[in-house]
Amino acid sequence: MSSLPAVSRHAALGSTALAAALVLAGCGGAGNDASSEEAGTPVSGGSIVYATDREPTCLDPHNFGDMPQTYIARQYLDSLVSERPDGSVVPWLADSWEVSPDGLTYTFKIKQGVKFHDGTPLDAEAVHANFVQILDPATESATDAGYLRPYYGSSRAIDPATFELKLKTPYSALLPVLSQAFFGIESPKAMARGLEENCQSPVGTGPFIVKAWHRGQSVELERNPDYNSAPADAKHQGPAYLDSVTWKFIEDGSVRAAAVQGRDADIIFNPPPQQVAALKADPTLQTQEFTHTGLPNGIALNTSRAPFDDTLVRQAFIHGANAEAAVKSAYLGVYEWEHGPISSTTPYFKDLRDFYAYDKDKADKLLDEAGWTQRDADGYRTKDGKRLTAELIYSADTGDTPPADVTLFQNIQSAEKEIGFDVVLKPLPQDQYFAAFSDKTAYDGLTGAYWNSPTPAVLSIVFSSDSLKAAPGNNMSWVENPKIDELVRAAAGTTDVAEQERLYGQTQQIVAEEAYQLGLYPVLTRLVHKKKLKDVWIEPSEGEPVLHDAWLAP
């Protein structure tokens, strides 16, 4: 996060902190300040195929809230503001904004002369309708609700060009949060059709229009010839250069890699680790990488149920996991270990690796202290005749859980057996897996977890009791800790950079000491595309590809 534009009266988070984090990210070629890969004058025309792994359950990112939705939604939805790679926030559908001295009232001036794809004019009332839909429980917006519901008071259209948002408590992360595609602005006329139809064909103001969704195959996007609402940091204003984009779903990573090396795709998302070196060496291809901020891929420990309602057992599990070795082995050294509750690229990251480091002797002592002193015939610890067991649930869909993740879980399972901990791997159908997040009784122990976020305020979403009340399941460890609540509320209420760093640092310290979460590896956007496809970039709030500026060289 960063200082806001001159029209705003408050800073969100320190730009120095985020700029340093992005340097650590090593995001070569990513971001909207990146120069074109090669000199050249953009030309209009042509169509491309973008191949990705996961198909969204719904194209409307207000509903549910999963990353595959935002990657594609960024092509047809615009947001109020746009975040730059240095963390600054610049105008988009909002030309300007002011923040009241108490930090509770945000007044946005809405860009005039913009129309949604269905012809509906963009105005302040349309923006208000989006916030109403986002916060309506019927929309089932776990992500948007997690970000906004604990703070939102009310909103209204003062006049057609002026939208006012009032908060219950100050929320210094609000503007970076609103830059995400999860908060893309949709046509109120289209939203009124109902969730089912809006999921099939959401309507925005963006550079591309959703023409068709062929379930299980692709989404067809067509150039919006009237596009006039690009963000201030876009490489160009006006309509997209490309005529159309086929957003294709190819779950198998090896098939995606072969597609971009051949003729079946012009750009692909996240090839499997074993293909990365070959793709980077291919002289016809360009690779861009962006390491996301937020909660890294990891494992959440369900603190509401045995055995992880015992802090000693949680600590033992984490020290016994040998997570660093497990990650390097499963992902062939492509990923570094990300141990903490926020990634090392997130502002105010605090290195607390000693709390997560592999230490078999310490794990054994912790379990002895917790009373798990006996062993059964299979070598697992027991207490009162009961084996020390925990389920690790994950989606059986390989788009959600790639084979390397399964190998990673097996590596951890093997390490835990050495300390007498029986970790049972339990794949679930995708719908049951997603449903488990909002039901703490659905699993006894562990689940994979990550949360992409442009702000360290993600710590509130993932570990506060406010989050449990706002959208159960976002707090995947089911933590209720008054000290964490106090710290993250204070962090949300201040714009002082040093104070935010202190408060978020203390929050990370408590999470580490209490062993609520085990980080594994970073969330990464890796794009591989033909070199003839120019000016693709990765936006920094969620790591989404941006195709508005992309063009095909002759």
Side-chain angles (χ1 to χ4, degrees):
M1 295 343 89
S2 73
S3 299
L4 303 180
V7 293
S8 177
R9 299 175 186 166
H10 287 278
L13 292 170
S15 58
T16 302
L18 183 54
L22 289 172
V23 170
L24 290 173
C27 45
N32 36 2
D33 280 348
S35 60
S36 179
E37 292 94 346
E38 298 175 20
T41 302
V43 295
S44 295
S47 301
I48 66 167
V49 174
Y50 175 100
T52 188
D53 53 350
R54 291 174 59 196
E55 182 173 18
T57 56
C58 168
L59 296 186
D60 173 8
H62 295 174
N63 176 256
F64 185 54
D66 194 18
M67 285 307 299
Q69 294 172 287
T70 69
Y71 289 127
I72 187 170
R74 184 49 73 207
Q75 317 315 316
Y76 48 79
L77 295 182
D78 296 334
S79 297
L80 287 175
V81 297
S82 177
E83 185 182 48
R84 292 158 57 96
D86 67 359
S88 59
V89 180
V90 299
W92 197 345
L93 290 181
D95 276 331
S96 63
W97 54 90
E98 291 187 354
V99 186
S100 63
D102 61 6
L104 294 178
T105 303
Y106 287 68
T107 305
F108 297 88
K109 287 296 182 181
I110 303 303
K111 186 175 291 185
Q112 298 298 285
V114 177
K115 290 186 177 181
F116 292 97
H117 303 150
D118 60 7
T120 304
L122 170 74
D123 58 17
E125 189 59 47
V127 175
H128 169 67
N130 274 259
F131 280 82
V132 171
Q133 191 215 34
I134 283 168
L135 291 164
D136 184 346
T139 308
E140 299 177 337
S141 176
T143 297
D144 287 355
Y147 274 117
L148 196 58
R149 188 171 290 151
Y151 309 97
Y152 178 84
S154 64
S155 64
R156 63 175 178 140
I158 295 176
D159 58 50
T162 310
F163 170 68
E164 179 186 83
L165 175 62
K166 285 185 173 290
L167 303 176
K168 293 182 291 189
T169 59
Y171 187 26
S172 57
L174 177 67
L175 290 173
V177 162
L178 294 182
S179 72
Q180 300 173 96
F182 287 122
F183 291 91
I185 302 301
E186 302 180 23
S187 163
K189 179 181 177 182
M191 291 189 300
R193 298 173 299 173
L195 287 177
E196 184 174 349
E197 190 168 350
N198 211 52
C199 276
Q200 181 70 24
S201 57
V203 176
T205 58
F208 293 96
I209 301 168
V210 177
K211 298 304 292 183
W213 181 6
H214 307 294
R215 299 269 182 164
Q217 300 178 45
S218 65
V219 175
E220 302 299 328
L221 305 175
E222 184 178 277
R223 178 176 177 265
N224 174 10
D226 302 317
Y227 187 57
N228 63 349
S229 54
D233 54 342
K235 291 179 181 293
H236 84 287
Q237 298 296 308
Y241 296 117
L242 297 170
D243 291 329
S244 63
V245 177
T246 297
W247 198 274
K248 195 172 184 179
F249 307 115
I250 302 177
E251 190 173 283
D252 189 304
S254 297
V255 176
R256 286 199 308 280
V260 78
Q261 288 178 304
R263 298 182 179 181
D264 294 331
D266 299 281
I267 177 171
I268 66 169
F269 172 80
N270 281 11
Q274 64 268 26
Q275 302 286 339
V276 170
L279 293 170
K280 286 184 174 181
D282 190 323
T284 69
L285 301 176
Q286 175 78 30
T287 299
Q288 296 187 49
E289 296 178 356
F290 177 83
T291 303
H292 295 233
T293 53
L295 180 78
N297 282 293
I299 295 175
L301 284 65
N302 186 344
T303 63
S304 72
R305 296 168 66 83
F308 294 123
D309 55 352
D310 186 331
T311 304
L312 295 174
V313 174
R314 296 196 301 270
Q315 292 169 340
F317 173 84
I318 284 177
H319 284 300
N322 201 5
E324 182 173 14
V327 168
K328 289 183 177 179
S329 172
Y331 275 94
L332 308 178
V334 171
Y335 289 132
E336 293 296 320
W337 179 41
E338 287 277 22
H339 54 273
I342 58 175
S343 70
S344 57
T345 60
T346 306
Y348 313 137
F349 165 78
K350 187 173 184 178
D351 193 335
L352 298 165
R353 69 179 59 240
D354 287 349
F355 287 94
Y356 302 96
Y358 178 56
D359 189 332
K360 181 178 180 299
D361 291 341
K362 186 171 186 177
D364 280 327
K365 290 177 182 177
L366 287 164
L367 290 179
D368 286 344
E369 186 179 347
W372 295 91
T373 55
Q374 304 299 313
R375 299 259 185 167
D376 63 19
D378 296 317
Y380 293 110
R381 289 177 178 262
T382 64
K383 182 168 68 172
D384 300 328
K386 183 178 180 180
R387 177 182 284 190
L388 178 58
T389 302
E391 290 180 345
L392 196 168
I393 64 169
Y394 61 93
S395 172
D397 188 319
T398 57
D400 299 322
T401 309
D405 268 12
V406 178
T407 300
L408 174 57
F409 296 155
Q410 290 169 342
N411 290 345
I412 291 173
Q413 179 187 48
S414 178
E416 295 292 349
K417 185 176 182 179
E418 294 297 311
I419 63 168
F421 209 131
D422 184 15
V423 175
V424 178
L425 304 186
K426 186 176 181 180
L428 296 174
Q430 186 187 61
D431 58 341
Q432 292 182 28
Y433 176 65
F434 287 154
F437 286 129
S438 58
D439 181 3
K440 64 184 176 182
T441 67
Y443 60 99
D444 293 324
L446 308 158
T447 183
Y450 74 95
W451 192 289
N452 297 323
S453 176
T455 162
V458 69
L459 290 165
S460 176
I461 294 174
V462 179
F463 296 111
S464 78
S465 59
D466 290 338
S467 180
L468 281 180
K469 297 169 187 173
N474 288 342
N475 180 338
M476 289 165 279
S477 296
W478 302 92
V479 174
E480 295 186 72
N481 187 316
K483 184 60 178 176
I484 287 180
D485 294 343
E486 176 187 335
L487 290 168
V488 295
R489 288 169 190 161
T494 181
T495 57
D496 182 273
V497 169
E499 182 66 357
Q500 286 180 340
E501 183 169 15
R502 183 184 71 83
L503 293 166
Y504 285 127
Q506 287 184 11
T507 305
Q508 293 170 72
Q509 183 82 27
I510 293 172
V511 172
E513 290 172 350
E514 294 294 327
Y516 295 140
Q517 173 89 16
L518 175 61
L520 294 175
Y521 63 93
V523 181
L524 185 76
T525 290
R526 179 180 284 117
L527 300 179
V528 182
H529 59 86
K530 298 279 186 16
K531 282 191 173 179
K532 68 177 183 178
L533 180 62
K534 310 295 184 181
D535 286 342
V536 175
W537 52 274
I538 302 172
E539 70 82 41
S541 75
E542 289 283 351
E544 299 142 354
V546 177
L547 300 179
H548 164 244
D549 295 305
W551 55 281
L552 286 166

